[in-house]
Amino acid sequence: MSPRIKSSLIVLGILLILLPALLLISNRVILQGFLVLENQDARQRITRANAAIVDDLGQLDSFTADWAARDESYDFLQGLREGYLESSLFPEKVTNLDIQLVVLLDSQKRVAVTRSYEPVNGMTVSGPQDITRLLAENGVLERLDHKNKIVVKGIITVNGLPMLISARAVTPNNPNVLANGYLIFGRLLDQDEITRLGRLNDLLLDLLPAGDAQLPADFQTALQGLRTEDTVTRALDDKTMAAYRLLPDITGKPAWILREQNLRLFYQNGQSTLHFFQLALVIVSGLFGIIGQSVVERMMISQRNSLENLGRYRAVVDQISEGIVLLDDSSKTIREANPGFAELLGYDAGTLPGMRLYELTTQGRAEVDADFTGLLDTGARMIGERSYRRSDGSLVDVEVSASRIVYGGRSVLVVVLRDITARKKAEKALRASEQRYHLATEGANDGLWDWNLATGEIYFSSRWKAMLGYNDGEIGSSPDNWFALVHPDDHDPLRSQLDAHLKGGTGHFQSEHRMRHKDGSYRWMLSRGMAISGEDGQPIRMAGSQTDVTERKQVEEQFRHDAFHDALTGLPNRALFLDRLGQAVERSKRRPDFLFALLFLDFDRFKVINDSLGHTTGDHLLVAGARRLESCLRTMDTIARLGGDEFVILLEYIESPRDATRVAERIQETLRPPFHIDGHDIFISASTGIVLSTVGYDRAEDVLRDADIAMYRSKALGRSRYELFNTSLRSLAMARLEMETQLRHSLERSEFSLYYQPIVSLKDNRITGFETLLRWEHPTLGSVSPDEFIPIAEETGLIVPIGAWVLREACAQMHAWQQKFPGLAPLTINVNMSGRQFTQADLPETIQAILVDTGLDISCLRLEITESVVLEALESTTSLLKRLKNMGVQLEIDDFGTGYSSLSYLQQLPINAIKIDRSFICKMTQDGSNYGIVQAIIAMVHNLGLQVIAEGVEHAEQISLLKTLGCEAAQGFLFHHPMDTAAVEALLSTL
């Protein structure tokens, strides 16, 4: 069997055992960890919900305590204040405190006064008999004790609803006076109150009676677990997590079940993490299999080749002139020796095996052991010069090289001896005469220095001194003359590096430090050198060179700067900003009094400037904008550019949130004047999101995320403004994410439908066509408004497949109507097009394919596009519109009047008609201002040779005015509401 097949079978067997086990373990470990986090979060949220109800009860009790301690309450029960009810307990005052029940009892626990407000579902509680029965059934009366003035508070049941109740003894402001009765305040804890408490605490709460036989299934299941635990958590489905807790009534018996629900984000993140990890594990396993098979195959081939080559290696070793010997690791006994070793020491090769190395060297046993112990400790090769004793007693100088190998399954020492007797004699003769030359060669590089360590004198070359601006006679020969020029911060490191080399800690001396030039500036110098030692092993001389590396250090500093700064504006980049923001987050966790704010800015309509004036002008505008933003800040504040037109500002050590909003307002004012860029006056504004550290963060990335959410909220509310972040914005973002997820499945689930609104000719009141309107009927969300899901579809790019579906369905439906009603004049179909669709270069080809598939004549198709879409990229959009117009498609500008309404861009566009926005038509009257605007628009459009269609017509007077102004067509509720397919066919059958 070949090595390849054997290695493949081995690796395959390993993978079949390990991969399933790893997949199973990862499934349990990873997902279980996220489920634990999810359970902890649910428990924390139900604890917050319970605390909210306790706080609500505490507020009610504080109201009761205040009113019970009033003298007028005490006097009223004594019969001394008849106008008490009208002056104090009138309904407006009580209901302002959100109190639905007020009861005054005398000292015998008889009802003196009762009031109930805001009855729920028509139910009220009134009359002494009803109140007495209610209080007795709920165990309130038996707990009242006017002598000890016991406070009774908790939850009771009123007409099947929970009510928070607080009862206190009525006493004057004198602790020595006995109470003369009791004051009871009650607040309904109905679903509205529970919802209000949940909204205040960012929670979704429900409260149901524990004894209700009709409890929902999840409540019944939770009730069983709550018999042994104070809190129960369970997943309702893959998207919802719920936590439950029992609330006792005033007697301490469990009476109500509180439920809190939340999205299962931990579980969903766990699923995503698990799938990614398992996919990565499979990929890594596959790579391991490929690499492992190759390695095992090579090992098998190598082993076979090793056996074949062993004989060759023995023959080669026997021919080498150097002595080679194998020693036993522990006893240093010779196991094998080559002929070169025997010849070098004058022995017969057959007598060497069995001898010990101690018998051949002049070293003592301890020295020999020390050599090889060091070899064992470091695992490296040992090289040194030693003297060995020949068989005749003479000595020979050798260079010894030793290393440790595994031979025959055992660890052995390989020692190689090379005769260096002749070299040693030559070195001794040349050492004295070549010493200075050798040092100069080793250290030569720019300025040279030679330090006589015995005398303490240093020779500095002329070049060494000239590099620092000095002449030969201006620097002495003492080491102090060198160190006096070194920068104070670099003096100690230089000394340490010199000492380390002189003590043998480093093979060469090398140091980069700053030295003072004669002109007072500092230059970076690289000093390198090497020391030599005398016969006693102590260093006697050290020489080296000095190189000016100032330019290199400046380049390195520039590289470091560029790595953490934006190349265009010079501001800190994302990496540096996140580091500083992270420091601020950590500081806020350590110091409760430390407050910081993060501002996230995005220039409004910057893309329009880039597309219309060019990216060079856009870059110049970004630089100028950055300079204006810097002028609004303190020196301690940090501003950075994240990319594009996004900037972030970190304000540290602020006193209050108002400091952050003042900076945001100052920025708006600073950006208001025009920028004079490349011969253009450019106006620009910014949308800003603000996050305060009081929200509480653990990571810098989370602060940046919430600031981004707040910034997008300010854009959605009209741009050129700022918006403070709160947790509700995150909830909106989560809801938006949920809607995006649902939207991605909408097409495949066939949840979209089309409605059609007729377009009527004002000349003869004939229906000439229909505008297509998209509707989304979600199985759980219900009917979702286009204003909610169209922006999300635009942002995510889903509008492209949705728009293609709308176009295909509309064309197919219109062709079907034309076939079914051939007697009618050819009807047209209007389809709204989004900006994202106009970024698709193949849009004309897509439309042509749809028309071919559906059979609709191209002249019957009208595409509607808004002004804002055109102006986002006027040049490219105009080119695309011309291609569509040349195909024969009719083009219209929708919602005209709400954007720029510029005659200049209308002249450039190959359009057929414009549609006046409903905001102008709905308020148009003969003497109103809108009449003049509509008149001007129609006149302008007619001068361009285009048709006019009015949207939102709802009154007959509007029809009359539009006909007078020459408007060709209209649509609106006055004619027809949007209709489904069946309603349209019913209408067409009557024509």
Side-chain angles (χ1 to χ4, degrees):
M1 187 179 293
S2 68
R4 172 163 297 182
I5 296 176
K6 289 182 180 179
S7 60
S8 298
L9 291 176
I10 292 172
V11 173
L12 180 60
I14 294 173
L15 290 180
L16 290 177
I17 295 173
L18 290 181
L19 185 57
L22 290 175
L23 291 175
L24 179 61
I25 292 172
S26 65
N27 182 62
R28 293 186 177 179
V29 173
I30 294 178
L31 194 57
Q32 186 62 34
F34 279 94
L35 291 177
V36 169
L37 291 176
E38 180 181 61
N39 186 62
Q40 291 175 349
D41 180 68
R43 287 179 175 273
Q44 291 174 358
R45 296 178 72 89
I46 194 66
T47 300
R48 285 170 46 202
N50 186 72
I53 295 176
V54 172
D55 291 343
D56 206 26
L57 179 59
Q59 182 195 56
L60 178 67
D61 185 55
S62 66
F63 292 155
T64 310
D66 177 53
W67 284 73
R70 295 186 180 183
D71 290 340
E72 54 265 32
S73 302
Y74 186 85
D75 293 342
F76 172 73
L77 288 177
Q78 292 290 98
L80 301 177
R81 189 179 292 271
E82 296 181 356
Y84 173 69
L85 297 180
E86 292 75 11
S87 63
S88 298
L89 286 177
F90 54 90
E92 291 80 2
K93 178 172 289 189
V94 175
T95 54
N96 284 342
L97 299 178
D98 197 17
I99 295 173
Q100 286 81 41
L101 179 65
V102 178
V103 179
L104 279 166
L105 305 177
D106 61 17
S107 60
Q108 303 301 317
K109 302 182 183 179
R110 294 172 301 194
V111 176
V113 173
T114 179
R115 293 287 189 272
S116 62
Y117 305 96
E118 299 184 5
V120 179
N121 298 327
M123 296 185 294
T124 62
V125 176
S126 61
Q129 184 177 355
D130 288 344
I131 289 298
T132 302
R133 175 182 52 78
L134 173 67
L135 297 179
E137 289 176 351
N138 283 279
V140 177
L141 293 181
E142 65 185 47
R143 285 168 172 74
L144 296 178
D145 184 351
H146 71 287
K147 292 182 179 180
N148 296 321
K149 302 178 183 178
I150 296 175
V151 178
V152 178
K153 61 180 180 179
I155 302 176
I156 67 172
T157 302
V158 178
N159 293 334
L161 296 175
M163 173 178 281
L164 297 177
I165 188 170
S166 173
R168 283 183 173 264
V170 177
T171 61
N173 292 320
N174 184 349
N176 298 320
V177 177
L178 291 176
N180 64 348
Y182 309 92
L183 173 64
I184 302 174
F185 278 173
R187 176 180 294 166
L188 279 176
L189 195 61
D190 56 7
Q191 189 58 45
D192 289 340
E193 179 68 8
I194 286 294
T195 301
R196 182 185 71 83
L197 292 176
R199 186 167 55 252
L200 289 175
N201 293 275
D202 195 18
L203 302 169
L204 180 59
L205 304 177
D206 294 291
L207 185 65
L208 295 179
D212 189 354
Q214 302 300 320
L215 276 176
D218 67 301
F219 278 86
Q220 293 179 6
T221 302
L223 185 58
Q224 296 176 4
L226 289 172
R227 294 172 181 171
T228 57
E229 300 181 51
D230 63 338
T231 300
V232 171
T233 61
R234 67 188 300 264
L236 299 182
D237 51 42
D238 287 345
K239 297 180 181 178
T240 309
M241 185 71 181
Y244 306 82
R245 180 170 290 184
L246 280 173
L247 299 182
D249 60 13
I250 205 165
T251 66
K253 297 179 181 179
W256 301 89
I257 302 181
L258 177 65
R259 180 180 69 180
E260 193 280 331
Q261 300 181 72
N262 192 33
L263 292 177
R264 299 192 66 187
L265 298 181
F266 286 104
Y267 175 74
Q268 294 170 0
N269 290 337
Q271 290 281 21
S272 300
T273 302
L274 176 61
H275 293 161
F276 175 80
F277 177 80
Q278 291 182 337
L279 177 60
L281 186 60
V282 172
I283 294 174
V284 170
S285 298
L287 294 175
F288 168 77
I290 296 172
I291 297 172
Q293 185 276 330
S294 177
V295 170
V296 173
E297 181 181 0
R298 290 179 182 178
M299 290 174 60
M300 290 180 174
I301 295 174
S302 176
Q303 184 180 19
R304 184 179 63 186
N305 293 338
S306 296
L307 295 175
E308 295 175 354
N309 293 331
L310 182 58
R312 301 191 190 101
Y313 293 156
R314 287 184 178 274
V316 172
V317 168
D318 288 345
Q319 300 301 318
I320 294 176
S321 60
E322 283 83 1
I324 301 176
V325 63
L326 297 181
L327 300 178
D328 184 84
D329 192 356
S330 57
S331 64
K332 309 300 185 294
T333 301
I334 297 176
R335 297 181 61 181
E336 295 182 19
N338 74 334
F341 185 86
E343 182 180 351
L344 176 63
L345 298 182
Y347 285 91
D348 182 82
T351 64
L352 287 172
M355 295 182 66
R356 304 182 72 184
L357 189 65
Y358 307 121
E359 304 171 27
L360 303 176
T361 179
T362 60
Q363 293 177 283
R365 184 186 183 101
E367 293 177 306
V368 174
D369 290 340
D371 280 347
F372 294 106
T373 299
L375 181 64
L376 176 64
D377 292 339
T378 63
R381 187 175 60 162
M382 184 272 286
I383 300 177
E385 295 180 0
R386 302 287 185 266
S387 291
Y388 273 64
R389 186 177 296 107
R390 296 172 57 88
S391 62
D392 59 5
S394 62
L395 298 179
V396 59
D397 291 325
V398 295
E399 181 183 74
V400 180
S401 174
S403 61
R404 189 179 303 277
I405 67 170
V406 176
Y407 180 77
R410 295 181 60 186
S411 175
V412 298
L413 299 173
V414 179
V415 181
V416 179
L417 303 183
R418 180 179 294 108
D419 188 349
I420 58 171
T421 304
R423 193 190 79 191
K424 293 288 287 186
K425 291 180 181 179
E427 287 177 353
K428 187 174 182 180
L430 293 174
R431 184 177 295 117
S433 62
E434 293 183 349
Q435 191 173 61
R436 178 178 291 276
Y437 174 79
H438 173 71
L439 291 173
T441 302
E442 288 291 328
N445 185 8
D446 291 338
L448 302 178
W449 51 272
D450 185 354
W451 188 355
N452 188 325
L453 297 173
T455 64
E457 292 183 340
I458 300 183
Y459 162 76
F460 298 110
S461 69
S462 298
R463 175 59 183 154
W464 192 98
K465 300 172 184 177
M467 292 169 66
L468 297 171
Y470 294 96
N471 296 321
D472 280 344
E474 294 184 283
I475 295 181
S477 59
S478 169
D480 293 337
N481 298 123
W482 180 8
F483 298 134
L485 298 175
V486 176
H487 192 284
D489 293 342
D490 298 338
H491 191 275
D492 289 343
L494 173 60
R495 282 283 194 181
S496 298
Q497 291 158 345
L498 279 169
D499 292 343
H501 176 62
L502 292 174
K503 292 178 181 178
T506 58
H508 289 78
F509 159 71
Q510 179 168 312
S511 172
E512 288 188 358
H513 50 270
R514 289 162 290 180
M515 297 188 68
R516 188 177 66 250
H517 194 272
K518 187 176 182 179
D519 62 10
S521 65
Y522 279 94
R523 308 291 176 88
W524 277 98
M525 298 294 172
L526 169 62
S527 185
R528 291 182 289 195
M530 187 173 64
I532 62 171
S533 301
E535 293 182 355
D536 60 355
Q538 296 299 316
I540 59 175
R541 174 168 286 177
M542 184 174 181
S545 65
Q546 178 171 280
T547 307
D548 189 333
V549 293
T550 304
E551 184 176 348
R552 174 174 65 79
K553 296 293 286 188
Q554 291 173 343
V555 171
E556 291 175 354
E557 183 62 31
Q558 185 64 44
F559 283 159
R560 282 193 293 270
H561 179 274
D562 293 345
F564 292 102
H565 289 79
D566 175 47
L568 178 63
T569 62
L571 297 176
N573 60 14
R574 178 185 290 269
L576 179 56
F577 184 80
L578 282 176
D579 178 70
R580 295 183 181 176
L581 180 57
Q583 296 176 22
V585 170
E586 292 302 318
R587 195 177 298 115
S588 67
K589 290 192 291 185
R590 294 193 306 268
R591 295 176 46 188
D593 60 334
F594 174 72
L595 180 64
F596 73 85
L598 176 64
L599 280 64
F600 196 118
L601 295 87
D602 185 89
F603 288 153
D604 299 324
R605 299 189 178 277
F606 181 76
K607 186 176 184 300
V608 176
I609 297 173
N610 250 356
D611 292 343
S612 57
L613 300 180
H615 289 276
T616 300
T617 300
D619 288 346
H620 292 166
L621 177 60
L622 289 174
V623 174
R627 301 291 83 82
R628 287 200 189 179
L629 293 177
E630 286 180 309
S631 69
C632 300
L633 306 178
R634 305 167 299 176
T635 55
M636 70 176 65
D637 300 328
T638 301
I639 177 174
R641 179 183 178 224
L642 299 185
D645 58 336
E646 293 182 339
F647 294 84
V648 285
I649 297 172
L650 176 62
L651 306 176
E652 297 188 77
Y653 299 100
I654 61 177
E655 298 295 331
S656 69
R658 180 57 183 153
D659 293 341
T661 58
R662 286 195 189 98
V663 173
E665 292 166 357
R666 191 183 311 140
I667 288 173
Q668 297 292 350
E669 289 301 320
T670 303
L671 294 177
R672 198 179 307 280
F675 289 84
H676 306 292
I677 307 293
D678 299 338
H680 303 282
D681 286 343
I682 303 175
F683 292 87
I684 198 166
S685 61
S687 297
T688 305
I690 303 175
V691 168
L692 299 173
S693 58
T694 52
V695 176
Y697 291 98
D698 291 323
R699 300 192 315 147
E701 292 80 359
D702 296 338
V703 186
L704 200 63
R705 174 203 65 201
D706 288 348
D708 192 20
I709 291 174
M711 183 274 290
Y712 274 105
R713 180 62 175 171
S714 68
K715 278 191 177 292
L717 294 177
R719 297 187 176 96
S720 187
R721 53 175 288 136
Y722 63 84
E723 187 73 19
L724 277 169
F725 174 81
N726 56 59
T727 53
S728 63
L729 291 182
R730 192 183 299 148
S731 298
L732 288 175
M734 291 175 62
R736 182 183 179 92
L737 179 62
E738 175 66 16
M739 181 170 288
E740 177 185 335
T741 302
Q742 297 294 334
L743 193 60
R744 291 185 180 277
H745 300 295
S746 55
L747 272 177
E748 61 190 57
R749 295 173 180 170
S750 301
E751 295 172 0
F752 286 123
S753 62
L754 297 182
Y755 275 60
Y756 304 90
Q757 186 173 37
I759 300 174
V760 179
S761 170
L762 296 183
K763 181 178 181 181
D764 53 10
N765 294 329
R766 180 177 59 84
I767 294 177
T768 61
F770 295 86
E771 179 180 356
T772 306
L773 303 173
L774 181 61
R775 296 292 184 266
W776 182 16
E777 294 295 334
H778 191 272
T780 58
L781 300 178
S783 180
V784 183
S785 169
D787 293 337
E788 295 182 39
F789 71 83
I790 290 298
I792 298 177
E794 288 272 8
E795 182 179 334
T796 59
L798 292 172
I799 195 65
V800 174
I802 293 175
W805 178 85
V806 170
L807 184 63
R808 180 176 295 276
E809 289 293 311
C811 291
Q813 186 59 69
M814 178 50 68
H815 181 259
W817 286 336
Q818 290 176 348
Q819 296 295 109
K820 189 171 184 178
F821 303 99
L824 298 177
L827 299 173
T828 61
I829 190 72
N830 287 38
V831 179
N832 292 280
M833 304 295 288
S834 75
R836 279 295 188 100
Q837 289 176 278
F838 272 85
T839 63
Q840 307 299 308
D842 60 346
L843 180 61
E845 290 76 13
T846 300
I847 293 175
Q848 184 64 49
I850 290 175
L851 291 172
V852 171
D853 292 345
T854 59
L856 183 67
D857 189 273
I858 196 169
S859 63
C860 298
L861 176 61
R862 293 177 175 265
L863 301 182
E864 298 185 11
I865 182 172
T866 63
E867 295 178 82
S868 60
V869 169
V870 173
L871 294 178
E872 285 291 332
L874 182 60
E875 183 176 346
S876 60
T877 304
T878 302
S879 174
L880 192 59
L881 290 175
K882 287 180 179 179
R883 291 176 60 191
L884 294 173
K885 184 66 177 292
N886 292 335
M887 289 170 52
V889 178
Q890 302 291 304
L891 302 172
E892 299 177 358
I893 297 296
D894 193 18
D895 299 335
F896 187 81
T898 59
Y900 290 90
S901 306
S902 170
L903 181 63
S904 61
Y905 89 79
L906 282 180
Q907 290 175 322
Q908 302 176 42
L909 299 178
I911 58 176
N912 302 92
I914 66 100
K915 300 181 77 172
I916 302 177
D917 188 71
R918 65 180 67 252
S919 61
F920 295 99
I921 303 301
C922 67
K923 297 180 181 179
M924 184 179 66
T925 58
Q926 180 68 47
D927 54 354
S929 60
N930 277 11
Y931 179 81
I933 295 174
V934 174
Q935 184 181 31
I937 291 175
I938 293 176
M940 176 184 70
V941 174
H942 281 170
N943 287 337
L944 295 175
L946 307 176
Q947 293 184 337
V948 180
I949 303 168
E951 295 182 297
V953 177
E954 298 181 1
H955 304 290
E957 180 185 2
Q958 297 167 353
I959 293 294
S960 176
L961 295 175
L962 289 171
K963 287 183 177 180
T964 302
L965 296 176
C967 180
E968 285 83 2
Q971 64 185 91
F973 292 169
L974 180 64
F975 302 108
H976 299 282
H977 285 69
M979 298 176 286
D980 59 16
T981 303
V984 172
E985 292 183 358
L987 173 64
L988 294 178
S989 64
T990 63
L991 302 180

